[in-house]
PDB file of all heavy atoms in Angstrom:
ATOM      1  N   LEU A 710       0.801  -1.223   0.019  1.00 98.00           N
ATOM      2  CA  LEU A 710       0.007  -0.024  -0.010  1.00 98.00           C
ATOM      3  C   LEU A 710       0.941   1.185   0.018  1.00 98.00           C
ATOM      4  O   LEU A 710       1.855   1.354   0.652  1.00 98.00           O
ATOM      5  CB  LEU A 710      -0.820   0.017   1.248  1.00 98.00           C
ATOM      6  CG  LEU A 710      -1.593   1.316   1.582  1.00 98.00           C
ATOM      7  CD1 LEU A 710      -2.705   1.527   0.585  1.00 98.00           C
ATOM      8  CD2 LEU A 710      -2.074   1.354   3.050  1.00 98.00           C
ATOM      9  N   VAL A 711       0.490   2.212  -0.787  1.00 98.00           N
ATOM     10  CA  VAL A 711       1.145   3.585  -0.800  1.00 98.00           C
ATOM     11  C   VAL A 711       0.105   4.499  -0.045  1.00 98.00           C
ATOM     12  O   VAL A 711       0.327   5.176   0.915  1.00 98.00           O
ATOM     13  CB  VAL A 711       1.480   4.055  -2.112  1.00 98.00           C
ATOM     14  CG1 VAL A 711       1.991   5.483  -2.075  1.00 98.00           C
ATOM     15  CG2 VAL A 711       2.471   3.109  -2.802  1.00 98.00           C
ATOM     16  N   ALA A 712      -1.074   4.636  -0.693  1.00 98.00           N
ATOM     17  CA  ALA A 712      -2.102   5.568  -0.149  1.00 98.00           C
ATOM     18  C   ALA A 712      -3.489   5.151  -0.696  1.00 98.00           C
ATOM     19  O   ALA A 712      -3.552   4.716  -1.880  1.00 98.00           O
ATOM     20  CB  ALA A 712      -1.727   6.985  -0.505  1.00 98.00           C
ATOM     21  N   THR A 713      -4.478   5.446   0.019  1.00 97.00           N
ATOM     22  CA  THR A 713      -5.867   5.231  -0.449  1.00 97.00           C
ATOM     23  C   THR A 713      -6.715   6.453  -0.060  1.00 97.00           C
ATOM     24  O   THR A 713      -6.368   7.182   0.809  1.00 97.00           O
ATOM     25  CB  THR A 713      -6.505   3.980   0.158  1.00 97.00           C
ATOM     26  OG1 THR A 713      -6.580   4.082   1.547  1.00 97.00           O
ATOM     27  CG2 THR A 713      -5.785   2.798  -0.251  1.00 97.00           C
ATOM     28  N   ILE A 714      -7.839   6.651  -0.741  1.00 96.00           N
ATOM     29  CA  ILE A 714      -8.733   7.695  -0.444  1.00 96.00           C
ATOM     30  C   ILE A 714     -10.129   7.256  -0.772  1.00 96.00           C
ATOM     31  O   ILE A 714     -10.393   6.589  -1.756  1.00 96.00           O
ATOM     32  CB  ILE A 714      -8.389   9.016  -1.251  1.00 96.00           C
ATOM     33  CG1 ILE A 714      -9.301  10.116  -0.898  1.00 96.00           C
ATOM     34  CG2 ILE A 714      -8.374   8.706  -2.777  1.00 96.00           C
ATOM     35  CD1 ILE A 714      -8.823  11.477  -1.487  1.00 96.00           C
ATOM     36  N   THR A 715     -10.988   7.550   0.165  1.00 93.00           N
ATOM     37  CA  THR A 715     -12.412   7.140   0.020  1.00 93.00           C
ATOM     38  C   THR A 715     -13.177   8.158  -0.791  1.00 93.00           C
ATOM     39  O   THR A 715     -12.612   9.292  -1.069  1.00 93.00           O
ATOM     40  CB  THR A 715     -13.111   7.017   1.373  1.00 93.00           C
ATOM     41  OG1 THR A 715     -13.230   8.251   1.994  1.00 93.00           O
ATOM     42  CG2 THR A 715     -12.336   6.076   2.266  1.00 93.00           C
ATOM     43  N   ARG A 716     -14.398   7.844  -1.151  1.00 89.00           N
ATOM     44  CA  ARG A 716     -15.172   8.795  -1.937  1.00 89.00           C
ATOM     45  C   ARG A 716     -15.420  10.069  -1.132  1.00 89.00           C
ATOM     46  O   ARG A 716     -15.645  11.169  -1.702  1.00 89.00           O
ATOM     47  CB  ARG A 716     -16.443   8.159  -2.354  1.00 89.00           C
ATOM     48  CG  ARG A 716     -17.267   8.916  -3.439  1.00 89.00           C
ATOM     49  CD  ARG A 716     -18.302   7.943  -4.152  1.00 89.00           C
ATOM     50  NE  ARG A 716     -18.954   7.040  -3.160  1.00 89.00           N
ATOM     51  CZ  ARG A 716     -19.586   5.977  -3.501  1.00 89.00           C
ATOM     52  NH1 ARG A 716     -19.597   5.566  -4.788  1.00 89.00           N
ATOM     53  NH2 ARG A 716     -20.278   5.307  -2.670  1.00 89.00           N
ATOM     54  N   ASP A 717     -15.400  10.039   0.194  1.00 90.00           N
ATOM     55  CA  ASP A 717     -15.651  11.076   1.071  1.00 90.00           C
ATOM     56  C   ASP A 717     -14.336  11.876   1.419  1.00 90.00           C
ATOM     57  O   ASP A 717     -14.441  12.920   2.120  1.00 90.00           O
ATOM     58  CB  ASP A 717     -16.271  10.669   2.411  1.00 90.00           C
ATOM     59  CG  ASP A 717     -17.658  10.087   2.132  1.00 90.00           C
ATOM     60  OD1 ASP A 717     -18.306  10.516   1.119  1.00 90.00           O
ATOM     61  OD2 ASP A 717     -18.121   9.209   2.918  1.00 90.00           O
ATOM     62  N   GLY A 718     -13.234  11.367   0.898  1.00 92.00           N
ATOM     63  CA  GLY A 718     -11.939  12.090   1.112  1.00 92.00           C
ATOM     64  C   GLY A 718     -11.086  11.608   2.184  1.00 92.00           C
ATOM     65  O   GLY A 718     -10.109  12.321   2.498  1.00 92.00           O
ATOM     66  N   SER A 719     -11.411  10.614   2.929  1.00 96.00           N
ATOM     67  CA  SER A 719     -10.710  10.082   3.967  1.00 96.00           C
ATOM     68  C   SER A 719      -9.424   9.381   3.451  1.00 96.00           C
ATOM     69  O   SER A 719      -9.615   8.649   2.455  1.00 96.00           O
ATOM     70  CB  SER A 719     -11.449   9.132   4.798  1.00 96.00           C
ATOM     71  OG  SER A 719     -12.457   9.729   5.522  1.00 96.00           O
ATOM     72  N   THR A 720      -8.274   9.660   3.954  1.00 97.00           N
ATOM     73  CA  THR A 720      -7.043   9.080   3.373  1.00 97.00           C
ATOM     74  C   THR A 720      -6.295   8.207   4.336  1.00 97.00           C
ATOM     75  O   THR A 720      -6.404   8.317   5.549  1.00 97.00           O
ATOM     76  CB  THR A 720      -6.134  10.259   2.935  1.00 97.00           C
ATOM     77  OG1 THR A 720      -5.841  11.103   4.074  1.00 97.00           O
ATOM     78  CG2 THR A 720      -6.765  11.123   1.832  1.00 97.00           C
ATOM     79  N   THR A 721      -5.539   7.288   3.749  1.00 97.00           N
ATOM     80  CA  THR A 721      -4.591   6.490   4.474  1.00 97.00           C
ATOM     81  C   THR A 721      -3.209   6.480   3.750  1.00 97.00           C
ATOM     82  O   THR A 721      -3.228   6.405   2.470  1.00 97.00           O
ATOM     83  CB  THR A 721      -5.095   5.001   4.531  1.00 97.00           C
ATOM     84  OG1 THR A 721      -6.440   5.031   5.139  1.00 97.00           O
ATOM     85  CG2 THR A 721      -4.214   4.084   5.286  1.00 97.00           C
ATOM     86  N   TYR A 722      -2.202   6.558   4.465  1.00 98.00           N
ATOM     87  CA  TYR A 722      -0.903   6.593   3.895  1.00 98.00           C
ATOM     88  C   TYR A 722       0.044   5.520   4.510  1.00 98.00           C
ATOM     89  O   TYR A 722      -0.048   5.297   5.776  1.00 98.00           O
ATOM     90  CB  TYR A 722      -0.228   7.939   4.096  1.00 98.00           C
ATOM     91  CG  TYR A 722      -0.899   9.096   3.309  1.00 98.00           C
ATOM     92  CD1 TYR A 722      -1.844   9.877   3.935  1.00 98.00           C
ATOM     93  CD2 TYR A 722      -0.478   9.301   1.982  1.00 98.00           C
ATOM     94  CE1 TYR A 722      -2.443  10.933   3.159  1.00 98.00           C
ATOM     95  CE2 TYR A 722      -1.077  10.319   1.319  1.00 98.00           C
ATOM     96  CZ  TYR A 722      -2.038  11.162   1.931  1.00 98.00           C
ATOM     97  OH  TYR A 722      -2.602  12.160   1.122  1.00 98.00           O
ATOM     98  N   ALA A 723       0.969   5.013   3.767  1.00 97.00           N
ATOM     99  CA  ALA A 723       1.988   4.200   4.333  1.00 97.00           C
ATOM    100  C   ALA A 723       3.000   5.100   5.062  1.00 97.00           C
ATOM    101  O   ALA A 723       3.189   6.237   4.726  1.00 97.00           O
ATOM    102  CB  ALA A 723       2.785   3.457   3.153  1.00 97.00           C
ATOM    103  N   ASP A 724       3.547   4.454   6.187  1.00 96.00           N
ATOM    104  CA  ASP A 724       4.469   5.329   6.976  1.00 96.00           C
ATOM    105  C   ASP A 724       5.631   5.837   6.200  1.00 96.00           C
ATOM    106  O   ASP A 724       6.188   6.932   6.406  1.00 96.00           O
ATOM    107  CB  ASP A 724       4.926   4.542   8.171  1.00 96.00           C
ATOM    108  CG  ASP A 724       3.857   4.359   9.209  1.00 96.00           C
ATOM    109  OD1 ASP A 724       2.873   5.144   9.239  1.00 96.00           O
ATOM    110  OD2 ASP A 724       3.951   3.451  10.024  1.00 96.00           O
ATOM    111  N   SER A 725       6.070   5.010   5.267  1.00 95.00           N
ATOM    112  CA  SER A 725       7.356   5.363   4.459  1.00 95.00           C
ATOM    113  C   SER A 725       7.226   6.526   3.572  1.00 95.00           C
ATOM    114  O   SER A 725       8.254   7.101   3.091  1.00 95.00           O
ATOM    115  CB  SER A 725       7.752   4.153   3.688  1.00 95.00           C
ATOM    116  OG  SER A 725       6.712   3.818   2.731  1.00 95.00           O
ATOM    117  N   ILE A 726       5.984   6.935   3.272  1.00 96.00           N
ATOM    118  CA  ILE A 726       5.820   8.067   2.321  1.00 96.00           C
ATOM    119  C   ILE A 726       4.988   9.260   2.933  1.00 96.00           C
ATOM    120  O   ILE A 726       4.720  10.204   2.237  1.00 96.00           O
ATOM    121  CB  ILE A 726       5.075   7.621   1.040  1.00 96.00           C
ATOM    122  CG1 ILE A 726       3.809   6.852   1.273  1.00 96.00           C
ATOM    123  CG2 ILE A 726       6.043   6.620   0.263  1.00 96.00           C
ATOM    124  CD1 ILE A 726       2.601   7.842   1.403  1.00 96.00           C
ATOM    125  N   LYS A 727       4.636   9.072   4.221  1.00 92.00           N
ATOM    126  CA  LYS A 727       3.939  10.209   4.829  1.00 92.00           C
ATOM    127  C   LYS A 727       4.758  11.525   4.755  1.00 92.00           C
ATOM    128  O   LYS A 727       5.968  11.458   4.931  1.00 92.00           O
ATOM    129  CB  LYS A 727       3.630   9.848   6.314  1.00 92.00           C
ATOM    130  CG  LYS A 727       2.431   9.051   6.471  1.00 92.00           C
ATOM    131  CD  LYS A 727       2.130   8.789   7.959  1.00 92.00           C
ATOM    132  CE  LYS A 727       0.848   7.929   8.106  1.00 92.00           C
ATOM    133  NZ  LYS A 727       0.597   7.579   9.522  1.00 92.00           N
ATOM    134  N   ASP A 728       4.119  12.637   4.509  1.00 93.00           N
ATOM    135  CA  ASP A 728       4.709  13.962   4.538  1.00 93.00           C
ATOM    136  C   ASP A 728       5.494  14.135   3.202  1.00 93.00           C
ATOM    137  O   ASP A 728       6.053  15.177   3.031  1.00 93.00           O
ATOM    138  CB  ASP A 728       5.643  14.169   5.673  1.00 93.00           C
ATOM    139  CG  ASP A 728       4.961  14.111   7.065  1.00 93.00           C
ATOM    140  OD1 ASP A 728       3.815  14.579   7.079  1.00 93.00           O
ATOM    141  OD2 ASP A 728       5.576  13.621   7.980  1.00 93.00           O
ATOM    142  N   ARG A 729       5.499  13.131   2.333  1.00 98.00           N
ATOM    143  CA  ARG A 729       6.194  13.321   1.039  1.00 98.00           C
ATOM    144  C   ARG A 729       5.136  13.104  -0.190  1.00 98.00           C
ATOM    145  O   ARG A 729       5.404  13.718  -1.210  1.00 98.00           O
ATOM    146  CB  ARG A 729       7.300  12.366   0.829  1.00 98.00           C
ATOM    147  CG  ARG A 729       8.437  12.547   1.901  1.00 98.00           C
ATOM    148  CD  ARG A 729       9.673  11.669   1.422  1.00 98.00           C
ATOM    149  NE  ARG A 729       9.333  10.266   1.461  1.00 98.00           N
ATOM    150  CZ  ARG A 729       9.493   9.432   0.405  1.00 98.00           C
ATOM    151  NH1 ARG A 729       9.920   9.953  -0.759  1.00 98.00           N
ATOM    152  NH2 ARG A 729       9.305   8.176   0.474  1.00 98.00           N
ATOM    153  N   PHE A 730       4.154  12.308   0.041  1.00 98.00           N
ATOM    154  CA  PHE A 730       3.172  12.067  -1.003  1.00 98.00           C
ATOM    155  C   PHE A 730       1.860  12.560  -0.485  1.00 98.00           C
ATOM    156  O   PHE A 730       1.445  12.537   0.655  1.00 98.00           O
ATOM    157  CB  PHE A 730       3.065  10.521  -1.261  1.00 98.00           C
ATOM    158  CG  PHE A 730       4.237   9.908  -1.821  1.00 98.00           C
ATOM    159  CD1 PHE A 730       5.462  10.570  -2.017  1.00 98.00           C
ATOM    160  CD2 PHE A 730       4.201   8.549  -2.251  1.00 98.00           C
ATOM    161  CE1 PHE A 730       6.607   9.921  -2.580  1.00 98.00           C
ATOM    162  CE2 PHE A 730       5.295   7.973  -2.790  1.00 98.00           C
ATOM    163  CZ  PHE A 730       6.508   8.597  -2.904  1.00 98.00           C
ATOM    164  N   ILE A 731       0.937  13.024  -1.542  1.00 98.00           N
ATOM    165  CA  ILE A 731      -0.406  13.358  -1.136  1.00 98.00           C
ATOM    166  C   ILE A 731      -1.222  12.708  -2.187  1.00 98.00           C
ATOM    167  O   ILE A 731      -1.039  12.848  -3.408  1.00 98.00           O
ATOM    168  CB  ILE A 731      -0.613  14.866  -1.187  1.00 98.00           C
ATOM    169  CG1 ILE A 731       0.110  15.517   0.090  1.00 98.00           C
ATOM    170  CG2 ILE A 731      -2.095  15.254  -1.047  1.00 98.00           C
ATOM    171  CD1 ILE A 731      -0.020  17.026   0.099  1.00 98.00           C
ATOM    172  N   ILE A 732      -2.328  12.018  -1.724  1.00 98.00           N
ATOM    173  CA  ILE A 732      -3.344  11.518  -2.602  1.00 98.00           C
ATOM    174  C   ILE A 732      -4.567  12.356  -2.615  1.00 98.00           C
ATOM    175  O   ILE A 732      -4.931  13.011  -1.684  1.00 98.00           O
ATOM    176  CB  ILE A 732      -3.718  10.072  -2.169  1.00 98.00           C
ATOM    177  CG1 ILE A 732      -4.557   9.340  -3.242  1.00 98.00           C
ATOM    178  CG2 ILE A 732      -4.399  10.098  -0.823  1.00 98.00           C
ATOM    179  CD1 ILE A 732      -4.713   7.806  -2.972  1.00 98.00           C
ATOM    180  N   SER A 733      -5.186  12.450  -3.838  1.00 96.00           N
ATOM    181  CA  SER A 733      -6.425  13.256  -3.932  1.00 96.00           C
ATOM    182  C   SER A 733      -7.233  12.681  -5.097  1.00 96.00           C
ATOM    183  O   SER A 733      -6.802  11.883  -5.865  1.00 96.00           O
ATOM    184  CB  SER A 733      -5.995  14.761  -4.263  1.00 96.00           C
ATOM    185  OG  SER A 733      -5.283  14.839  -5.478  1.00 96.00           O
ATOM    186  N   ARG A 734      -8.481  13.118  -5.044  1.00 93.00           N
ATOM    187  CA  ARG A 734      -9.380  12.721  -6.087  1.00 93.00           C
ATOM    188  C   ARG A 734      -9.982  13.898  -6.791  1.00 93.00           C
ATOM    189  O   ARG A 734     -10.136  14.989  -6.206  1.00 93.00           O
ATOM    190  CB  ARG A 734     -10.605  11.847  -5.504  1.00 93.00           C
ATOM    191  CG  ARG A 734     -10.154  10.502  -5.054  1.00 93.00           C
ATOM    192  CD  ARG A 734     -11.231   9.699  -4.338  1.00 93.00           C
ATOM    193  NE  ARG A 734     -12.226   9.216  -5.380  1.00 93.00           N
ATOM    194  CZ  ARG A 734     -13.005   8.137  -5.078  1.00 93.00           C
ATOM    195  NH1 ARG A 734     -12.868   7.471  -3.999  1.00 93.00           N
ATOM    196  NH2 ARG A 734     -13.884   7.773  -5.988  1.00 93.00           N
ATOM    197  N   GLY A 735     -10.242  13.790  -8.040  1.00 85.00           N
ATOM    198  CA  GLY A 735     -10.705  14.988  -8.785  1.00 85.00           C
ATOM    199  C   GLY A 735     -11.774  14.669  -9.772  1.00 85.00           C
ATOM    200  O   GLY A 735     -12.226  13.499  -9.887  1.00 85.00           O
ATOM    201  N   GLY A 736     -12.124  15.676 -10.552  1.00 70.00           N
ATOM    202  CA  GLY A 736     -13.156  15.477 -11.552  1.00 70.00           C
ATOM    203  C   GLY A 736     -14.405  15.005 -10.906  1.00 70.00           C
ATOM    204  O   GLY A 736     -14.816  15.590  -9.910  1.00 70.00           O
ATOM    205  N   PRO A 737     -15.072  14.011 -11.459  1.00 65.00           N
ATOM    206  CA  PRO A 737     -16.249  13.489 -10.907  1.00 65.00           C
ATOM    207  C   PRO A 737     -15.963  12.406  -9.864  1.00 65.00           C
ATOM    208  O   PRO A 737     -16.758  11.502  -9.543  1.00 65.00           O
ATOM    209  CB  PRO A 737     -16.917  12.776 -12.099  1.00 65.00           C
ATOM    210  CG  PRO A 737     -15.802  12.361 -13.027  1.00 65.00           C
ATOM    211  CD  PRO A 737     -14.720  13.374 -12.786  1.00 65.00           C
ATOM    212  N   ARG A 738     -14.820  12.551  -9.185  1.00 65.00           N
ATOM    213  CA  ARG A 738     -14.270  11.668  -8.136  1.00 65.00           C
ATOM    214  C   ARG A 738     -14.030  10.283  -8.687  1.00 65.00           C
ATOM    215  O   ARG A 738     -14.037   9.332  -7.959  1.00 65.00           O
ATOM    216  CB  ARG A 738     -15.273  11.657  -6.967  1.00 65.00           C
ATOM    217  CG  ARG A 738     -15.211  12.988  -6.167  1.00 65.00           C
ATOM    218  CD  ARG A 738     -16.138  12.938  -4.951  1.00 65.00           C
ATOM    219  NE  ARG A 738     -17.467  12.965  -5.387  1.00 65.00           N
ATOM    220  CZ  ARG A 738     -18.449  12.995  -4.451  1.00 65.00           C
ATOM    221  NH1 ARG A 738     -18.175  13.060  -3.172  1.00 65.00           N
ATOM    222  NH2 ARG A 738     -19.719  13.001  -4.779  1.00 65.00           N
ATOM    223  N   SER A 739     -13.772  10.136  -9.958  1.00 89.00           N
ATOM    224  CA  SER A 739     -13.374   8.920 -10.537  1.00 89.00           C
ATOM    225  C   SER A 739     -11.964   8.929 -11.030  1.00 89.00           C
ATOM    226  O   SER A 739     -11.527   8.041 -11.851  1.00 89.00           O
ATOM    227  CB  SER A 739     -14.314   8.483 -11.749  1.00 89.00           C
ATOM    228  OG  SER A 739     -15.526   8.174 -11.189  1.00 89.00           O
ATOM    229  N   THR A 740     -11.248  10.017 -10.625  1.00 93.00           N
ATOM    230  CA  THR A 740      -9.831  10.142 -11.017  1.00 93.00           C
ATOM    231  C   THR A 740      -9.082  10.357  -9.680  1.00 93.00           C
ATOM    232  O   THR A 740      -9.496  11.045  -8.779  1.00 93.00           O
ATOM    233  CB  THR A 740      -9.642  11.402 -11.847  1.00 93.00           C
ATOM    234  OG1 THR A 740     -10.363  11.280 -13.109  1.00 93.00           O
ATOM    235  CG2 THR A 740      -8.157  11.493 -12.277  1.00 93.00           C
ATOM    236  N   VAL A 741      -7.952   9.606  -9.625  1.00 95.00           N
ATOM    237  CA  VAL A 741      -7.152   9.701  -8.411  1.00 95.00           C
ATOM    238  C   VAL A 741      -5.723  10.214  -8.771  1.00 95.00           C
ATOM    239  O   VAL A 741      -5.261   9.744  -9.807  1.00 95.00           O
ATOM    240  CB  VAL A 741      -7.174   8.399  -7.632  1.00 95.00           C
ATOM    241  CG1 VAL A 741      -6.520   7.254  -8.376  1.00 95.00           C
ATOM    242  CG2 VAL A 741      -6.481   8.558  -6.250  1.00 95.00           C
ATOM    243  N   TYR A 742      -5.211  10.934  -7.934  1.00 97.00           N
ATOM    244  CA  TYR A 742      -3.865  11.526  -8.224  1.00 97.00           C
ATOM    245  C   TYR A 742      -2.948  11.160  -7.003  1.00 97.00           C
ATOM    246  O   TYR A 742      -3.352  11.033  -5.853  1.00 97.00           O
ATOM    247  CB  TYR A 742      -3.871  13.054  -8.389  1.00 97.00           C
ATOM    248  CG  TYR A 742      -4.833  13.537  -9.395  1.00 97.00           C
ATOM    249  CD1 TYR A 742      -6.094  13.984  -9.030  1.00 97.00           C
ATOM    250  CD2 TYR A 742      -4.479  13.588 -10.669  1.00 97.00           C
ATOM    251  CE1 TYR A 742      -7.003  14.436 -10.078  1.00 97.00           C
ATOM    252  CE2 TYR A 742      -5.387  14.029 -11.740  1.00 97.00           C
ATOM    253  CZ  TYR A 742      -6.614  14.470 -11.344  1.00 97.00           C
ATOM    254  OH  TYR A 742      -7.441  14.914 -12.283  1.00 97.00           O
ATOM    255  N   LEU A 743      -1.676  10.996  -7.381  1.00 98.00           N
ATOM    256  CA  LEU A 743      -0.626  10.853  -6.347  1.00 98.00           C
ATOM    257  C   LEU A 743       0.514  11.831  -6.656  1.00 98.00           C
ATOM    258  O   LEU A 743       1.224  11.724  -7.613  1.00 98.00           O
ATOM    259  CB  LEU A 743      -0.098   9.444  -6.305  1.00 98.00           C
ATOM    260  CG  LEU A 743       0.835   9.080  -5.120  1.00 98.00           C
ATOM    261  CD1 LEU A 743       0.141   9.127  -3.836  1.00 98.00           C
ATOM    262  CD2 LEU A 743       1.534   7.836  -5.386  1.00 98.00           C
ATOM    263  N   GLN A 744       0.541  12.936  -5.841  1.00 98.00           N
ATOM    264  CA  GLN A 744       1.572  13.900  -5.977  1.00 98.00           C
ATOM    265  C   GLN A 744       2.734  13.429  -5.039  1.00 98.00           C
ATOM    266  O   GLN A 744       2.505  13.247  -3.821  1.00 98.00           O
ATOM    267  CB  GLN A 744       1.108  15.231  -5.500  1.00 98.00           C
ATOM    268  CG  GLN A 744       2.167  16.309  -5.639  1.00 98.00           C
ATOM    269  CD  GLN A 744       2.652  16.591  -7.029  1.00 98.00           C
ATOM    270  OE1 GLN A 744       1.866  16.876  -7.900  1.00 98.00           O
ATOM    271  NE2 GLN A 744       3.927  16.527  -7.267  1.00 98.00           N
ATOM    272  N   MET A 745       3.958  13.326  -5.616  1.00 98.00           N
ATOM    273  CA  MET A 745       5.080  12.775  -4.841  1.00 98.00           C
ATOM    274  C   MET A 745       6.235  13.787  -4.866  1.00 98.00           C
ATOM    275  O   MET A 745       6.499  14.376  -5.976  1.00 98.00           O
ATOM    276  CB  MET A 745       5.570  11.494  -5.497  1.00 98.00           C
ATOM    277  CG  MET A 745       4.463  10.370  -5.704  1.00 98.00           C
ATOM    278  SD  MET A 745       5.124   8.873  -6.384  1.00 98.00           S
ATOM    279  CE  MET A 745       5.286   9.339  -8.136  1.00 98.00           C
ATOM    280  N   TRP A 746       6.725  14.089  -3.730  1.00 98.00           N
ATOM    281  CA  TRP A 746       7.831  15.053  -3.555  1.00 98.00           C
ATOM    282  C   TRP A 746       9.033  14.259  -2.862  1.00 98.00           C
ATOM    283  O   TRP A 746       8.794  13.284  -2.231  1.00 98.00           O
ATOM    284  CB  TRP A 746       7.384  16.223  -2.729  1.00 98.00           C
ATOM    285  CG  TRP A 746       6.432  17.206  -3.247  1.00 98.00           C
ATOM    286  CD1 TRP A 746       6.709  18.142  -4.205  1.00 98.00           C
ATOM    287  CD2 TRP A 746       5.104  17.345  -2.978  1.00 98.00           C
ATOM    288  NE1 TRP A 746       5.559  18.783  -4.416  1.00 98.00           N
ATOM    289  CE2 TRP A 746       4.530  18.277  -3.794  1.00 98.00           C
ATOM    290  CE3 TRP A 746       4.202  16.526  -2.150  1.00 98.00           C
ATOM    291  CZ2 TRP A 746       3.202  18.672  -3.725  1.00 98.00           C
ATOM    292  CZ3 TRP A 746       2.890  16.910  -2.056  1.00 98.00           C
ATOM    293  CH2 TRP A 746       2.399  17.962  -2.834  1.00 98.00           C
ATOM    294  N   SER A 747      10.154  14.951  -2.935  1.00 98.00           N
ATOM    295  CA  SER A 747      11.324  14.448  -2.147  1.00 98.00           C
ATOM    296  C   SER A 747      11.446  12.988  -2.484  1.00 98.00           C
ATOM    297  O   SER A 747      11.701  12.135  -1.542  1.00 98.00           O
ATOM    298  CB  SER A 747      11.199  14.655  -0.680  1.00 98.00           C
ATOM    299  OG  SER A 747      11.125  16.079  -0.431  1.00 98.00           O
TER     300      SER A 747
END
């Protein structure tokens, strides 16, 4: 697991990527993004 997000926006992250990756949903909430830094 890296990260998950529910339809309501609740997120879960693996410890190894916390504070470096952000997961989001967009459009009609059928698109998911993973923004990765560092």
Side-chain angles (χ1 to χ4, degrees):
L710 168 74
V711 177
T713 62
I714 184 168
T715 67
R716 195 159 45 198
D717 297 332
S719 296
T720 57
T721 301
Y722 291 96
D724 288 341
S725 61
I726 57 86
K727 277 182 180 178
D728 301 323
R729 297 191 298 121
F730 293 7
I731 291 180
I732 189 170
S733 60
R734 290 177 73 156
R738 290 183 288 184
S739 293
T740 302
V741 64
Y742 304 97
L743 187 68
Q744 179 66 54
M745 305 182 288
W746 291 281
S747 301

